[in-house]
Amino acid sequence: MPVSVYEKLLKCILWVGKRNSRVIAADFFSLIFAVYIGFALRLSYDISGEYMPAFIKSALAFASIVTIALFLGKNYTIFWPRASVEEFANLARWYFAGGAVFLVIVNFTDMIHIPRLSQAFLLLAGLFFLSSLRTLWRLSILPQHKSTEGMNRVLIVGAGEAGSMLARDIVRHGASFPIGFIDDNAELKKARIANLPVLGKKEDLPAVIKNNTIDTVLIAMPSATGAQIKEYLDVLDKEDVTVRILPSLLSLADGQVSVSKLRSVKFEDLLRRDPVTLDNENIESLIKGKCVLVTGAGGSIGSEICRQVLARKPEKLLALGHGEQSIYLLMESLADAGNRIPVLPIIADVADETTMESIFKRFSPDIVFHAGAHKHVPLMEENPREALRVNAFGTWNIATLAGKHNVERFVMISTDKAVRPTSVMGATKRAAERLLLSVQQEYPGTKYMAVRFGNVLGSRGSVVPKFERQIAAGGPVTVTHPDMKRYFMLIPEAVSLVLQTGTMGEGGELFVLDMGKPVKISEMAETLIRLHGHEPNKDIQIEYSGIRTGEKLYEELFYDPSHVDTTKHAKIFKSKLTPDTESILPEVETILDNAAKGQITGDKLKETILALGCEAGINNGR
């Protein structure tokens, strides 16, 4: 190939990679030098005579082919002074890809002739030169020794991968001065990680903080349980230090650990449990390439379902909600997260038969996650007909349409308040569970299932944001009863288990999630007050306002624990159910009609709905 062609090719590469032209040029000439080393080690340092044409051809061909390969592998978009092991591995992959093309040309064509030993030498030399250049760039940004006077002195709890990544990021930013690590792993005693010492275990924290004049303690244990986090907080609560924490693994979805991810400790950190193990292969096969409809998509559960569904690459997502503002905010958050999968926002009421029929006809969804419901207990006590219309009739409406339009799977989100309900909300959700079972009998081709769980932290109307507002205002924090308990779960964990149940159901099941131990609301209030740096009943008062209408002191997940089966997943249980032979739809429609006509109102309407929910529980609720 004429030398002029190579010159044009080099100019093209330099033009395309203009922002990294110096890197490309350095690589190109390093690769030429690698070919020289290959020839020199095999022949002579003075390459002349008959070998000079072969050297020139080889040098230009090798440098051009490998540079193009690195360009195709996007190695020239990498900022090498901040590169990690992954970037160097990518460099090696594309280098050897280019090298393989070059060897094919040399050994299977008559274009270039190179001694075989020279081929091996030049390949090794080329990789050495390219990686050495990048290593020098990487080392060039290591911080120089400087005075740490006046800098924030930080101690990192957790010397694992997250802790070491955080330490390196702190060093790069230079605003704080990391002193070392605390870690309970005995094997790390006196070890050095990220060039920082491991100074001791949890019990050594007070002494380490005092001896090293620590200003801030960073908890870098994304996989730790809530109990483990609480043990450290109990020790740190007695020390005059600022505490920051990395979110859980579920929240660190991108796997990136940096200073920007640190935040104040929240109550949700104390509810962390062992990381959820999922059958990701089956979940992806359930969703990938499918049209997925999520009702209640603007709510806390529905929006998280949307995010986790999109991570499994559906063909498109139908995000249906009744409130336009919540759907708008969802669409904004998905766009900000860089989502590229089509998401169609739909403003509609699940109980609107005509509108929902048109949606199913137009889009023919394959999978439905039904999270749309009215969930606020006191508000539904004041609006019982609306609760029954949306929660019970709305569920029947879209479940029936799912059967008519051959939806593969229909997963309904239920609640622990459906067990022995004392509220309108709970009774209407229990009625919805029973209606779902009756629809299963009518449309056996669609697999219907309900997933029952308790409260989730971070949902709209959750007690935690309310307590935090009251603390910010100086108190008092209002708790309904000193003995009130509730099950709590983190939203990402609950939704990941919902997706898992979607792969497990064969039709007609009621799944129940393992909610852990119930939490005393009064203790939750005390913990939140302490997390905000105050002393309960001293700086911030706790007042008891009395149980509200429809509320219970404690919730249950089953009518009868003996009627519960385990499943292949340790955190998912299956209730043993007897299919309904008759639908309760006529009773639901009668109550709705009578309420609309004003023939049944007030307490009588609530009593009728409660009776419907309780009857459903007695006849069929396990």
Side-chain angles (χ1 to χ4, degrees):
M1 191 179 289
V3 174
S4 60
V5 175
Y6 289 111
E7 291 175 347
K8 291 178 181 178
L9 186 58
L10 174 59
K11 289 179 181 178
C12 178
I13 293 171
L14 291 173
W15 178 79
V16 173
K18 185 164 62 174
R19 65 182 286 229
N20 280 301
S21 57
R22 284 179 294 180
V23 179
I24 296 174
D27 282 352
F28 194 85
F29 290 110
S30 295
L31 293 166
I32 289 176
F33 187 59
V35 176
Y36 168 76
I37 294 295
F39 272 78
L41 290 176
R42 169 63 177 81
L43 302 169
S44 165
Y45 290 109
D46 181 18
I47 303 171
S48 58
E50 60 179 306
Y51 289 107
M52 181 55 73
F55 166 71
I56 294 173
K57 283 184 178 181
S58 302
L60 292 176
F62 182 63
S64 299
I65 291 169
V66 172
T67 304
I68 292 171
L70 296 181
F71 181 81
L72 293 174
K74 300 183 179 179
N75 283 270
Y76 295 118
T77 64
I78 297 170
F79 183 60
W80 287 102
R82 292 279 189 265
S84 62
V85 173
E86 289 76 12
E87 279 79 21
F88 278 90
N90 186 63
L91 170 73
R93 280 195 298 271
W94 286 94
Y95 172 81
F96 284 117
V101 173
F102 174 74
L103 292 179
V104 168
I105 293 173
V106 169
N107 292 289
F108 295 97
T109 70
D110 294 326
M111 296 174 63
I112 305 170
H113 298 284
I114 308 174
R116 294 200 173 178
L117 194 57
S118 292
Q119 295 176 33
F121 286 151
L122 70 86
L123 277 177
L124 293 174
L127 182 61
F128 173 77
F129 291 147
L130 295 189
S131 57
S132 296
L133 276 172
R134 283 155 175 77
T135 301
L136 288 172
W137 293 329
R138 184 72 180 80
L139 293 174
S140 69
I141 65 153
L142 287 179
Q144 305 299 316
H145 292 291
K146 58 183 179 180
S147 172
T148 61
E149 187 177 350
M151 293 181 69
N152 182 39
R153 296 169 65 84
V154 302
L155 178 67
I156 302 172
V157 174
E161 184 176 353
S164 62
M165 291 172 67
L166 181 61
R168 291 184 175 95
D169 198 51
I170 291 170
V171 170
R172 283 196 293 268
H173 278 75
S176 299
F177 180 62
I179 301 299
F181 295 96
I182 290 290
D183 199 291
D184 286 338
N185 186 346
E187 295 180 0
L188 296 180
K189 186 178 181 180
K190 296 184 180 179
R192 294 188 72 85
I193 296 172
N195 204 31
L196 297 173
V198 178
L199 298 170
K201 299 181 180 181
K202 178 170 64 253
E203 53 266 28
D204 301 317
L205 260 172
V208 171
I209 289 172
K210 181 180 179 181
N211 296 337
N212 294 277
T213 322
I214 300 299
D215 301 306
T216 303
V217 175
L218 309 178
I219 301 177
M221 301 189 298
S223 60
T225 64
Q228 291 171 320
I229 298 295
K230 191 175 187 306
E231 288 176 4
Y232 278 100
L233 291 179
D234 288 342
V235 176
L236 293 170
D237 191 45
K238 302 177 180 66
E239 305 298 326
D240 184 21
V241 292
T242 301
V243 180
R244 294 289 182 267
I245 192 169
L246 283 175
S248 67
L249 286 173
L250 282 168
S251 301
L252 287 173
D254 57 2
Q256 298 299 311
V257 172
S258 65
V259 173
S260 63
K261 298 289 177 71
L262 289 165
R263 57 165 172 74
S264 299
V265 180
K266 298 181 180 179
F267 187 78
E268 65 190 54
D269 296 310
L270 306 183
L271 284 184
R272 291 186 194 173
R273 300 193 288 172
D274 292 332
V276 176
T277 302
L278 300 175
D279 184 355
N280 284 305
E281 186 176 341
N282 274 338
I283 294 175
E284 187 162 317
S285 66
L286 172 72
I287 293 170
K288 189 173 183 179
K290 306 283 184 65
C291 175
V292 180
L293 168 63
V294 178
T295 71
S300 53
I301 294 293
S303 59
E304 181 64 19
I305 290 175
C306 289
R307 293 184 188 96
Q308 293 199 24
V309 163
L310 288 171
R312 270 76 180 194
K313 299 179 175 59
E315 178 191 13
K316 59 177 172 283
L317 173 68
L318 312 177
L320 187 148
H322 196 221
E324 61 177 19
Q325 179 65 9
S326 61
I327 295 297
Y328 170 77
L329 293 175
L330 171 67
M331 298 300 292
E332 289 284 292
S333 69
L334 294 179
D336 291 344
N339 172 60
R340 302 294 182 191
I341 294 169
V343 180
L344 284 72
I346 302 173
I347 308 301
D349 182 345
V350 293
D352 183 337
E353 295 176 82
T354 303
T355 300
M356 293 306 300
E357 173 77 41
S358 68
I359 290 168
F360 274 84
K361 278 184 177 178
R362 179 182 175 188
F363 297 108
S364 299
D366 301 297
I367 311 291
V368 175
F369 290 98
H370 176 42
H374 289 315
K375 304 180 182 75
H376 198 283
V377 171
L379 286 180
M380 292 307 99
E381 292 298 309
E382 300 300 321
N383 299 274
R385 183 182 183 276
E386 182 66 7
L388 185 65
R389 187 187 73 85
V390 172
N391 292 356
F393 182 78
T395 297
W396 173 87
N397 183 37
I398 64 166
T400 302
L401 288 168
K404 287 181 178 177
H405 292 271
N406 301 310
V407 167
E408 295 174 17
R409 289 175 182 263
F410 184 103
V411 184
M412 168 193 159
I413 306 300
S414 190
T415 171
D416 57 359
K417 293 174 177 61
V419 180
R420 274 186 270 272
T422 58
S423 66
V424 167
M425 194 281 274
T428 55
K429 291 296 283 184
R430 180 67 196 106
E433 290 177 353
R434 193 177 179 193
L435 284 166
L436 194 70
L437 288 173
S438 65
V439 175
Q440 177 69 82
Q441 304 305 304
E442 189 175 354
Y443 297 100
T446 296
K447 295 179 180 179
Y448 296 89
M449 61 209 77
V451 186
R452 187 188 283 168
F453 53 91
N455 300 281
V456 289
L457 279 186
S459 64
R460 290 183 300 187
S462 170
V463 69
V464 173
K466 175 186 174 183
F467 284 171
E468 289 181 333
R469 288 194 301 270
Q470 291 175 335
I471 292 168
V477 172
T478 55
V479 178
T480 53
H481 192 281
D483 296 324
M484 180 166 283
K485 294 181 179 180
R486 289 291 182 268
Y487 289 102
F488 283 96
M489 202 173 199
L490 301 180
I491 293 175
E493 180 183 11
V495 168
S496 65
L497 291 174
V498 166
L499 298 188
Q500 183 69 74
T501 61
T503 69
M504 296 164 59
E506 294 300 322
E509 296 96 344
L510 172 57
F511 292 103
V512 182
L513 304 186
D514 175 9
M515 298 292 297
K517 295 180 180 179
V519 177
K520 214 170 183 179
I521 302 301
S522 58
E523 292 179 0
M524 174 190 285
E526 291 175 0
T527 301
L528 280 168
I529 291 170
R530 289 193 181 94
L531 288 176
H532 283 77
H534 305 293
E535 188 64 29
N537 293 315
K538 183 178 178 182
D539 303 321
I540 303 286
Q541 295 296 315
I542 297 176
E543 294 183 357
Y544 296 99
S545 57
I547 297 177
R548 297 175 295 184
T549 304
E551 285 187 325
K552 296 191 287 187
L553 275 180
Y554 61 92
E555 304 288 4
E556 302 169 273
L557 294 172
F558 310 100
Y559 278 84
D560 184 352
S562 66
H563 286 74
V564 177
D565 280 335
T566 58
T567 68
K568 61 183 180 181
H569 197 287
K571 293 188 177 182
I572 301 174
F573 300 94
K574 182 171 67 174
S575 185
K576 300 175 184 178
L577 296 173
T578 304
D580 285 312
T581 54
E582 293 184 10
S583 173
I584 60 169
L585 180 64
E587 291 98 311
V588 170
E589 291 181 321
T590 298
I591 296 170
L592 290 174
D593 288 342
N594 289 339
K597 295 173 183 176
Q599 295 175 358
I600 179 171
T601 59
D603 290 342
K604 182 63 177 176
L605 175 57
K606 287 193 282 186
E607 289 171 9
T608 305
I609 293 173
L610 279 171
L612 179 69
C614 290
E615 181 184 355
I618 293 168
N619 291 343
N620 196 336
R622 296 299 182 197

